[in-house]
Amino acid sequence: MRHPFGKGASMKPVWAITTAIALLIAIGVVSSTIRAQQDDTAVARQKRDQLRAFYTAPPVIPHEAYANDPAECAYCHSDVRETPHGTTLITPHIEFHSCAQCHVRAASELGSPTIQSANRFQGLETPNDGHRWSEISPPTVPHRTALREGCLTCHAANSPYEHLRCPHPERSQCYQCHVAGGSEFEVTFAAR
Amino acid sequence: MNQTQSRREFIRDSAVAAAMAALSAGPRAIAAEIPMPDRLTWSKAPCRFCGTGCGVMVGVQEGKVVAVQGDPEAPVNKGLLCVKGYHAGAALYGEDRLTTPLIRKNGSLQKASWDEAIEAIADAIMADPATFGIYGSGQWTIPEGYVCMKFLKGGMSSNHIDPNARLCMASAVTGFISTFGVDEPSGCYDDLDECDTIITWGNNWAEMHPVLFSRFIDRKIAKEKNGRSNMQYIDMATRWTRSSEFADHYIPFVPQTDLAIANCICHQLIKRGKYDKDFVEKHVRFKTNDGADVDLEGYRAFLEDYSPEAVSELSGVSIGHLELLASIFADPDRKVVSLWCMGMNQHTRGTWINNLVYNVHLLSGKIGKPGSTPFSLTGQPSACGTCREVGTLAHGLPGGRVVTNPDHRADCEKIWNTKTGAISETPGYHTMAMFKAFNEGALKGMWVQVTNPAQTIPNLNENMNNAANGFLVVSDVYPTATTEIADIVLPSAMWVEKNGVYGNSERRTHQWFRAVDPPGDARDDVWQVLAVARRMYEKGFEGMRDKDGNFLLAIRDQDGNEIEAWKWDLFREFNVDRALFTEYRQLTLKKHKDVAPYDVLAKERGLRWPVVQNATGDWVETKRRFVGGEDPYVEPGRAIQFYGAAAGDSRAIIWARPYEAPPEVPDEEYPFWLCTGRVLEHWHSGTMTGRIPQLRNAMPKAYVEMHPADASAINAKPGDMIRIVSRRGTITLPLYNGRAKPERGAVFVPFFDETKLINRVTLDEYCPISKEPDYKKCAIRLEKVQA
């Protein structure tokens, strides 16, 4: 069994035992924190999923909005703000100015739709948390980064998604430790 | 463990081991199972919806589409889509999807077998083949349109085939052909990236071609944020839309006066001497409206009526704005793209206005240069690829050919191996004539594929009030207004449930493979036509025999062996698309509309024709047609060559087209303009998008837009019901001001709502050259419905 602190360490036994015990306690604390977060995460993820037809679909706008003018959207969504509708999220793609191209209202002042037929579409499910090699390893990025290059929009220290708040926002090179966990597109060029 | 270990060492090692065990029991288990979406595969396709032709990635899991993403490798959209594209996968799964053939018996549609349906169709056609027509679609795939051409024009010697693209792009086509001698744009989407100015001519592209809009506008805004921008967006329109929000200049004009405005720009360019003299001398000729040749002086004389003062009076556009427009084209350093779609095409002088915008660009030399081009946007995903390039029109043949030309007929008869003279030289019914004939009984049978005319034909009360009497076969995916009056309904595969090829606005031919199975008993439209053709052949219909007595629509593999593709199981196993496309491809070469081979397209996100193989064997697409160095068909040494010119002189034609008032204008009895069109969330008649919850909830029903002052004048506020009446029909709609805003004296109504058929109210007058009706202008009166 390899000694975690290097080969043939000549550490005093008391320090070794204390360290071992501290390590065990630390693991316990980290595990239970992760477990508590996972409960909040599940709730938060559900709320988030309801706004999307499938994982990675553009969310619908759950509130009234004058969607013609992007300046109206940016008024709230260029920063984390407290509004009557809740805490806003910064858009992860401020460089796109035609917001209404992808984001439509969840409901309309025109009322309920004329066609009432149901739809059996089942969208791609949101993946679980980023995968960690060990419980204290940096998690992989469990989602596509296309159109989400601004990590801090969701992971900032004051993010409205509490469970996603990054504990070290002062570190700017996210991709140094957090790599993509899932595959990007592997395109099929052949007939089925 | 070392036998010389002391007791302390043992305890230390044990504690450490315990800690390690705690750590290792965890990570070792996690490491083995990196969570990945199960069995998720992605394949490429063009989007199902508009003529932008975005590349999408379709995510399939356990035989179902579960996600759609923008394809980062697609040059058109570079990973971005619009709300319809993102939700296109859900269009397959509405619960009332058609899954069984239906035949009307005793007044109602009953479930039937495919054999029964095919038999009934074959019998009906054979009873009177000369009175049977096919109404197709700009949403047909290329193989679908092609197989119908071979079936009807080759096999039945009939030209009664026309697509719904007649109602959307016909004026653009006749505009191209009269100005350039050949159809489809010189420029491409790259010009949107290189221009500094865009002018929209009656086109709300923020909602209609959203990805192209944001491609330009995001660049413009980014540049402006840097503080050094000369970019301009000018919106010439008849109503304030989402596009207008982003414009530097919003220029409203009286409907139809676009004709005069274009002439006014040319008037000013010549008057000030600020046109491209060199370009005009080398590449342009002038003609009067009657087609007589005329010189520049004659053209200048024609333009005398179109001074800024006169045109300002007619159009309501200020002299300042008219001068602004001219100054943009007068500036030789400005790179200008003009964009248009239905505002110019659905126009009783649609051909003329297309010519006139080309005039402006030809006179100013702003064509064939990066960032400077007049660009006709196409509405449907394959109006170009299928209707225009395969020639699925009453007068058309594949590859830019026409039925009236004996050489063109001979080319097709050769490829199709028909008997000599099989193709008729008499053009068939164009769309409006076809529906009139069907309504009156002159045309006894019609097969409608991938479109919904009972909702989208103008002046429905007059043009389709008897349509239920004719023999109507409808291939579709959901119940529609058209299936409701059909005699036979054929459940069809849609989009990625079948192989396909589409061609978008910028000449990009884009192929895809089937990704999921169609539901129930739904089958490909191509198979349906092959099955009917085969049944007719078996019943002895002479036209279904080729010159050698073999089945005309035989599908052969690469070794020449026939595949019995009229049998569904065998059809599915074989790539019939590939066989049809490969045959069709031969016909694209004559007029330099070369499409790439199927197998090349299968690996690309579309390629822009002409696609030609170079010396090293690579297939190279063409960004800009007629431009030396880019278009392989331009003679060496020439910077620009309009080689399609009918006169063979490689010159484009500037036509002296006059202003002509629309046939129906507001008057005392009907004092308002009515304009109709689309909205972002819904595609055409809403059969697909209406079943997608996110789109349906965002835009649940049709409405009428009014200028606030007009609304106040009748004491109406948003939500109030307004009755709209024209000489043809009536409709009642809620007032809504949450999207766009018409000018005073005009209203707008979208046409996607199957419970609110605005086409009962619209006018069916059409451009006499293109035969395309004007959905944008007619006269109505309105009143608030008292609660």
Side-chain angles (χ1 to χ4, degrees):
Chain A
M1 203 70 74
R2 276 190 61 217
H3 193 298
F5 302 110
K7 292 185 277 207
S10 53
M11 226 184 265
K12 299 243 160 138
V14 167
W15 280 112
I17 292 166
T18 312
T19 309
I21 290 166
L23 201 61
L24 279 166
I25 292 168
I27 289 164
V29 166
V30 167
S31 306
S32 68
T33 311
I34 288 175
R35 266 193 291 282
Q37 278 185 339
Q38 272 165 1
D39 297 328
D40 292 338
T41 303
V43 167
R45 185 184 303 133
Q46 209 183 30
K47 269 183 76 177
R48 202 173 166 278
D49 286 353
Q50 270 161 11
L51 294 181
R52 291 158 173 79
F54 53 89
Y55 167 56
T56 70
V60 297
I61 302 170
H63 55 74
E64 279 179 33
Y66 180 63
N68 286 348
D69 184 356
E72 296 269 336
C73 310
Y75 188 77
C76 291
H77 290 289
S78 53
D79 201 349
V80 176
R81 298 182 207 281
E82 297 302 320
T83 76
H85 304 294
T87 314
T88 65
L89 213 58
I90 307 176
T91 166
H93 36 254
I94 196 80
E95 69 277 14
F96 291 112
H97 298 95
S98 188
C99 318
Q101 166 180 325
C102 300
H103 300 287
V104 295
R105 297 272 307 278
S108 166
E109 292 90 4
L110 284 164
S112 52
T114 33
I115 297 184
Q116 292 294 340
S117 74
N119 191 300
R120 297 195 189 110
F121 176 75
Q122 293 209 297
L124 182 64
E125 280 185 15
T126 307
N128 293 323
D129 299 328
H131 167 244
R132 297 170 190 264
W133 179 75
S134 75
E135 286 182 349
I136 55 168
S137 301
T140 57
V141 179
H143 57 73
R144 286 192 71 213
T145 51
L147 296 168
R148 294 167 192 80
E149 282 87 1
C151 309
L152 289 179
T153 67
C154 295
H155 295 288
N158 62 343
S159 165
Y161 291 130
E162 288 174 21
H163 66 290
L164 293 180
R165 287 176 184 168
C166 169
H168 41 259
E170 70 282 4
R171 296 181 188 161
S172 63
Q173 303 304 301
C174 318
Y175 292 137
Q176 171 182 321
C177 301
H178 300 287
V179 296
S183 66
E184 286 294 316
F185 298 123
E186 281 161 28
V187 186
T188 316
F189 283 125
R192 270 169 76 254
Chain B
M1 202 104 47
N2 193 322
Q3 293 206 337
T4 58
Q5 258 190 337
S6 67
R7 188 179 151 75
R8 263 180 267 146
E9 281 170 341
F10 178 78
I11 293 169
R12 173 201 70 198
D13 282 354
S14 302
V16 164
M20 280 305 299
L23 278 175
S24 63
R28 225 134 282 185
I30 294 172
E33 303 145 17
I34 298 179
M36 298 271 269
D38 282 334
R39 299 174 293 283
L40 179 69
T41 59
W42 294 96
S43 52
K44 64 158 185 104
C47 179
R48 177 60 181 77
F49 297 116
C50 82
T52 301
C54 294
V56 307
M57 299 300 295
V58 180
V60 172
Q61 197 172 51
E62 292 175 25
K64 291 192 149 47
V65 177
V66 293
V68 174
Q69 289 285 274
D71 185 345
E73 302 294 318
V76 170
N77 54 309
K78 300 165 190 153
L80 191 63
L81 296 179
C82 82
V83 71
K84 289 191 302 300
Y86 277 117
H87 294 90
L92 277 56
Y93 299 107
E95 70 170 5
D96 59 344
R97 187 70 199 270
L98 298 171
T99 54
T100 339
L102 302 168
I103 298 181
R104 192 172 295 275
K105 294 170 183 165
N106 302 323
S108 67
L109 289 168
Q110 317 274 352
K111 287 189 183 172
S113 69
W114 273 108
D115 284 344
E116 236 188 296
I118 299 297
E119 185 80 15
I121 297 169
D123 284 343
I125 295 175
M126 287 174 68
D128 200 348
T131 62
F132 187 83
I134 296 181
Y135 182 58
S137 175
Q139 298 163 65
W140 251 338
T141 66
I142 290 172
E144 285 167 356
Y146 182 71
V147 80
C148 280
M149 290 287 280
K150 202 170 171 183
F151 171 67
L152 196 86
K153 302 215 177 200
M156 287 170 59
S157 303
S158 165
N159 289 317
H160 293 321
I161 176 170
D162 216 51
N164 68 2
R166 176 75 64 174
L167 309 175
C168 98
M169 295 311 293
S171 301
V173 176
T174 50
F176 272 115
I177 297 198
S178 44
T179 297
F180 299 104
V182 279
D183 188 16
E184 293 204 39
S186 159
C188 63
Y189 295 163
D190 294 48
D191 291 310
L192 301 175
D193 300 330
E194 309 204 34
C195 66
D196 52 61
T197 307
I198 287 200
I199 303 178
T200 40
W201 298 69
N203 175 226
N204 179 13
W205 60 323
E207 288 195 66
M208 303 312 158
H209 292 80
V211 169
L212 295 180
F213 175 73
S214 57
R215 182 167 170 167
F216 168 73
I217 219 73
D218 287 334
R219 175 170 71 94
K220 177 174 186 283
I221 294 175
K223 204 165 179 208
E224 284 160 1
K225 286 201 171 132
N226 283 334
R228 264 170 301 200
S229 173
N230 68 338
M231 292 180 72
Q232 284 202 309
Y233 170 43
I234 295 168
D235 185 33
M236 281 209 287
T238 55
R239 75 190 230 277
W240 175 276
T241 65
R242 275 189 179 170
S243 305
S244 318
E245 293 274 356
F246 291 81
D248 296 294
H249 296 276
Y250 164 68
I251 302 181
F253 61 92
V254 170
Q256 195 96 345
T257 61
D258 42 11
L259 295 161
I261 294 167
N263 274 333
C264 181
I265 296 173
C266 291
H267 169 107
Q268 295 179 68
L269 290 177
I270 293 187
K271 185 162 189 177
R272 294 200 234 145
K274 294 273 195 187
Y275 62 97
D276 189 335
K277 301 183 179 76
D278 188 58
F279 186 92
V280 168
E281 204 180 319
K282 290 200 173 109
H283 304 298
V284 169
R285 62 192 295 175
F286 298 88
K287 281 188 181 287
T288 65
N289 196 23
D290 309 319
D293 288 319
V294 76
D295 60 9
L296 177 62
E297 175 47 38
Y299 178 59
R300 190 207 60 75
F302 158 80
L303 289 172
E304 268 172 22
D305 293 336
Y306 296 94
S307 67
E309 292 73 22
V311 173
S312 177
E313 174 80 33
L314 179 73
S315 65
V317 177
S318 70
I319 292 179
H321 269 149
L322 291 168
E323 288 176 349
L324 169 73
L325 289 166
S327 67
I328 283 168
F329 284 96
D331 180 352
D333 296 326
R334 218 161 241 290
K335 299 188 209 149
V336 185
V337 173
S338 285
L339 292 173
W340 67 93
C341 204
M342 295 302 112
M344 274 175 49
N345 296 341
Q346 290 176 340
H347 191 301
T348 49
R349 279 299 177 191
T351 308
W352 288 4
I353 184 59
N354 271 267
N355 291 141
L356 288 170
V357 173
Y358 292 131
N359 290 358
V360 175
H361 279 264
L362 288 167
L363 204 58
S364 56
K366 293 191 192 298
I367 180 170
K369 302 180 171 98
S372 264
T373 194
F375 194 87
S376 162
L377 287 167
T378 298
Q380 296 189 77
S382 206
C384 284
T386 309
C387 305
R388 294 155 76 177
E389 293 161 31
V390 181
T392 66
L393 294 137
H395 65 285
L397 285 171
R401 296 174 173 83
V402 290
V403 299
T404 47
N405 183 317
D407 293 331
H408 294 180
R409 293 197 305 273
D411 287 345
C412 296
E413 286 173 4
K414 180 153 177 274
I415 300 289
W416 293 344
N417 204 34
T418 63
K419 305 176 190 65
T420 313
I423 300 176
S424 161
E425 63 177 354
T426 314
Y429 292 121
H430 61 83
T431 297
M432 292 310 296
M434 193 186 292
F435 280 93
K436 212 176 180 66
F438 189 69
N439 207 44
E440 291 167 0
L443 192 70
K444 297 200 177 61
M446 193 194 295
W447 192 347
V448 173
Q449 297 184 8
V450 207
T451 184
N452 186 10
Q455 185 164 337
T456 56
I457 293 291
N459 190 2
L460 283 169
N461 289 343
E462 208 177 295
N463 288 311
M464 289 195 74
N465 56 335
N466 297 319
N469 295 337
F471 177 73
L472 182 62
V473 180
V474 179
S475 296
D476 212 317
V477 299
Y478 285 111
T480 67
T482 313
T483 62
E484 209 165 290
I485 55 168
D487 294 283
I488 300 187
V489 178
L490 301 178
S492 302
M494 71 178 286
W495 194 37
V496 294
E497 293 168 351
K498 58 189 177 181
N499 296 327
V501 193
Y502 270 172
N504 78 349
S505 302
E506 63 160 359
R507 296 173 274 105
R508 185 180 294 272
T509 315
H510 197 159
Q511 176 276 356
W512 75 92
F513 287 115
R514 183 177 71 231
V516 295
D517 292 330
D521 235 341
R523 297 186 184 181
D524 297 28
D525 293 56
V526 168
W527 174 86
Q528 295 170 21
V529 175
L530 291 175
V532 169
R534 180 69 186 185
R535 201 73 199 93
M536 289 169 64
Y537 169 84
E538 287 162 3
K539 286 171 179 272
F541 190 84
E542 203 39 48
M544 291 304 148
R545 276 181 171 64
D546 71 9
K547 202 165 63 180
D548 306 317
N550 298 321
F551 179 40
L552 180 71
L553 267 58
I555 301 292
R556 296 192 169 81
D557 67 17
Q558 280 159 288
D559 300 321
N561 304 314
E562 188 175 354
I563 309 290
E564 295 184 332
W566 59 89
K567 298 182 179 170
W568 176 237
D569 296 331
L570 299 177
F571 177 92
R572 294 265 296 171
E573 280 172 14
F574 184 76
N575 189 341
V576 175
D577 255 33
R578 190 181 179 284
L580 291 168
F581 189 85
T582 303
E583 184 183 281
Y584 157 67
R585 181 170 170 266
Q586 300 169 80
L587 293 165
T588 64
L589 309 182
K590 185 195 195 80
K591 295 225 172 177
H592 307 326
K593 294 152 106 71
D594 317 30
V595 292
Y598 187 89
D599 295 333
V600 173
L601 291 177
K603 293 191 169 52
E604 299 284 347
R605 270 74 168 175
L607 289 174
R608 289 167 288 194
W609 57 259
V611 184
V612 166
Q613 203 168 21
N614 69 7
T616 49
D618 299 315
W619 290 92
V620 181
E621 63 172 2
T622 299
K623 279 170 52 169
R624 295 178 184 87
R625 276 169 98 199
F626 314 133
V627 173
E630 295 198 39
D631 184 336
Y633 288 109
V634 170
E635 286 164 18
R638 300 181 75 143
I640 193 162
Q641 184 187 6
F642 297 116
Y643 52 69
D649 59 356
S650 294
R651 287 173 182 270
I653 300 175
I654 285 188
W655 288 89
R657 303 294 198 196
Y659 168 78
E660 187 183 275
E664 188 177 273
V665 295
D667 57 21
E668 268 185 37
E669 213 191 328
Y670 298 95
F672 276 81
W673 291 104
L674 167 68
C675 181
T676 64
R678 279 206 297 121
V679 289
L680 170 73
E681 292 84 347
H682 288 295
W683 176 254
H684 281 199
S685 63
T687 50
M688 294 180 281
T689 53
R691 288 166 169 84
I692 298 174
Q694 287 77 11
L695 301 177
R696 182 180 66 204
N697 293 337
M699 181 54 72
K701 58 177 67 151
Y703 53 84
V704 57
E705 286 173 356
M706 290 177 73
H707 188 282
D710 289 332
S712 306
I714 58 166
N715 228 347
K717 57 186 192 314
D720 287 345
M721 296 302 280
I722 310 291
R723 182 178 300 114
I724 291 173
V725 182
S726 77
R727 292 172 171 89
R728 293 158 292 281
T730 304
I731 195 168
T732 307
L733 292 157
L735 180 64
Y736 179 62
N737 64 358
R739 186 62 56 101
K741 190 180 69 158
E743 292 295 310
R744 291 216 62 177
V747 306
F748 175 87
V749 175
F751 73 98
F752 65 84
D753 190 337
E754 66 176 23
T755 66
K756 293 290 180 185
L757 300 185
I758 188 59
N759 278 313
R760 293 203 197 286
V761 181
T762 53
L763 179 64
D764 51 352
E765 294 281 340
Y766 48 78
C767 169
I769 303 172
S770 70
K771 324 290 191 225
E772 178 168 354
D774 189 335
Y775 289 90
K776 305 295 183 185
K777 306 171 198 90
C778 71
I780 56 145
R781 66 166 194 270
L782 47 81
E783 62 210 9
K784 178 173 142 177
V785 174
Q786 300 307 328

